Amino acid sequence: MAYAAILIIFTAFSFLENVFTTARIKTRCHIPECENSMEQNLTPLWLAQAVPLSKYGYDNCHRFAASNSSNSSAPTNSINSCPSILFDHSLIEPCEEFIYENKNTIVYDFGLACSEWRRSMIGSVRMLGMMVAMPLVGFVSDLRGRRTALLISVFCKGSIGITRYFANSYTYFIISEFLEGALASGTFSCIYLLLMETVGPRYRVGTGAFISTSFAVGHMLLGWLSWAVPHWRNLTLLCYAPQFILLLIYSRKISESPRWHITKGCYDKAEKILKQMARTNGKQLSEKSVQLLRQTRNGKGRAQSIKNYQTEPNLVVLVFRHKPMLLRCLVSPLQWITFSLIYYGLSINSINLNIGSKYLNHMAVTFIEIPGYLLALALLNRIGRKPVLTGGFWVCGACQIGYIFTPAGHPNLSLALYVLSKCCISAVAMSLHIYTSELYPTPHRHRLSSVSASIGRLGAIIAPLTPAFVSSQFQYLYVL
């Protein structure tokens, strides 16, 4: 479990690190009539003379055009003096150069100051890669094993993440984001199924809570690391370089799922792993269980398993032959789309709240996931999976509507509703992962659950674009 927790924490880093590496930077136009250096104060006293002002603040993408008299008036280069005669206040034009508050994100390196759609598109492209990855990793996992798919994903994650450290263009950066999503995003689903198939039914909810809590801890640590190491290149290296060390550890310490071995007719390997697990837990596999496994191995069970595996119809055909399974395959993706849109939307926009520090906001919004998981842990076995799932969606929706209509001047209430929404959708997250994993049979579990999660990425693809949908108020530099 300890190894799994470390892996999940580093997986959480890669899920949301682009929230910080691509975060907005406050900017304004560089005004050559009033300043020569690009290292000027972001809001000098004379700014209102040169930049349009609205109820949101100073426009960070436009400026007043230079007046005809500006050629005859020499720049004062004084922070306290910039005569309005230098500007034509009836004519507004786009910025040619920008002053940045800092240089910590790719917004500075790749000139995305007023390219909100290009900036937001990075997260969507990454989620598109994840959508491609889920069926692929599900196929590898069901065919070659959970452990094999996991190790491949970890290797790809570390390799692609480190190469992104050297990105020198927007195109290079966004391609690396897509490739990481497509080739390395199966880590979480692999470790999730591996653990779920290792424990008995009694412990699935507790294991799900452990996995989800580890994921939330990873997001909290990411907020702290981003605060301590704000520059995007250094943060990227810190998140991805340890993946290779973890790869060496997991290749030695993590075993294959015994359930997967059994479905493939490999009973000897399953018995060996089960005995090893029993020794690790200070217990002994009962002789009755060993005898039943050996009888299955030596009898008709092994031959029948291999025969079924070789002669089994195409999975799509199997689904359409079984109406309840077909219904599950149709409904489950809709739940995943809704969950992904809300969960990632709340996570991504937490750093855009105009309440306090973006790092503290992110840590608060991710910390509140833990009570959500504990709530699901307390309720899932008592009232069932479906009531927790639907109840979480309803309460989360009510909180979001309340957040929208909260009157201005009540930041604490707004933050409380926002955080409560994240708590509820976190309970949904845990419920949905467990519910989905229990809907499908073991031989096809990863492929079918991956299809649901993959289609659900449609919501995750839209989530990073939500800041751009409401970007009108973000094209202004708020007065500091």
Side-chain angles (χ1 to χ4, degrees), residues 28-31 52 59-66 91-98 114:
R28 67 168 173 84
C29 291
H30 174 238
I31 311 297
D59 193 320
N60 69 351
C61 296
H62 299 86
R63 51 158 291 174
F64 292 124
L91 185 61
I92 297 175
E93 61 184 17
C95 302
E96 294 183 359
E97 294 181 296
F98 295 90
C114 289

Side-chain angles (χ1 to χ4, degrees), residues 436-448:
T436 304
S437 68
E438 293 177 343
L439 287 177
Y440 306 120
T442 300
H444 313 295
R445 179 174 293 137
H446 205 164
R447 276 177 289 177
L448 291 175

Side-chain angles (χ1 to χ4, degrees), residues 353-379:
L353 297 173
N354 293 309
I355 307 170
S357 165
K358 66 179 181 179
Y359 303 106
L360 291 177
N361 289 343
H362 176 81
M363 286 188 279
V365 169
T366 52
F367 172 78
I368 201 63
E369 292 182 28
I370 298 177
Y373 299 140
L374 295 178
L375 179 64
L377 175 63
L379 296 178

Side-chain angles (χ1 to χ4, degrees), residues 262 267 270-272 274-275 278 284-297:
I262 291 172
Y267 295 97
E271 180 181 341
K272 182 179 178 180
L274 289 171
K275 287 183 175 180
Q284 187 175 359
L285 196 65
S286 68
E287 188 63 27
K288 181 179 179 181
S289 299
V290 173
Q291 290 299 325
L292 287 173
L293 190 61
R294 288 176 179 174
Q295 288 174 10
T296 306
R297 176 191 65 195

Side-chain angles (χ1 to χ4, degrees), residues 106-122:
I106 67 165
V107 171
Y108 175 83
D109 289 81
F110 304 147
L112 304 179
C114 289
S115 300
E116 183 64 21
W117 280 104
R118 292 178 68 207
R119 188 193 70 82
S120 301
M121 188 64 68
I122 294 172

Side-chain angles (χ1 to χ4, degrees), residues 245-284:
I245 300 175
L246 299 177
L247 180 64
L248 293 176
I249 295 174
Y250 299 140
S251 63
R252 294 177 177 270
K253 297 294 184 180
I254 293 184
S255 303
E256 184 55 82
S257 164
R259 291 177 184 269
W260 181 82
H261 276 313
I262 291 172
T263 61
K264 301 305 179 187
C266 302
Y267 295 97
D268 291 332
K269 294 181 179 179
E271 180 181 341
K272 182 179 178 180
I273 293 172
L274 289 171
K275 287 183 175 180
Q276 182 181 352
M277 291 168 56
R279 285 195 302 269
T280 302
N281 294 326
K283 297 182 179 181
Q284 187 175 359

Side-chain angles (χ1 to χ4, degrees), residues 48 155 217 357 432:
F155 174 78
V217 169
S357 165
L432 190 58

